[in-house]
Amino acid sequence: MTRDRSLLLAVCVLAIFTVGCNSMRQQFLQTVEEMKADAAVLDSNDDGLDAFGSADAKHLRTARAEMER
């Protein structure tokens, strides 16, 4: 293998590694943002439990609060 060919191969391997790392980093950051959004919904009063009726929603919120302790 010539020196130029070895250098080209090394550059290609480094480029592939860098692109893979950036892709994984972007996926990780997107996952973190989605988890933050899910946590924000759970912390708000708009958590979707009102669809079960006010009494059941209150019971479910109380049970969730007890499980978080």
Side-chain angles (χ1 to χ4, degrees):
M1 206 181 273
T2 65
R3 181 176 178 262
D4 291 338
R5 194 172 205 173
S6 297
L7 184 59
L8 178 63
L9 181 61
V11 168
C12 288
V13 168
L14 182 61
I16 290 170
F17 179 73
T18 302
V19 168
C21 287
N22 285 338
S23 175
M24 288 177 61
R25 182 175 182 267
Q26 288 174 347
Q27 288 177 352
F28 176 77
L29 292 176
Q30 180 181 356
T31 302
V32 168
E33 291 302 317
E34 290 173 358
M35 290 172 66
K36 286 180 183 178
D38 290 343
V41 168
L42 290 176
D43 289 340
S44 71
N45 288 332
D46 187 25
D47 55 9
L49 296 177
D50 291 323
F52 296 103
S54 61
D56 290 334
K58 182 179 178 182
H59 175 72
L60 290 170
R61 286 186 183 108
T62 303
R64 183 181 66 205
E66 288 176 12
M67 288 187 336
E68 290 176 353
R69 291 184 199 158

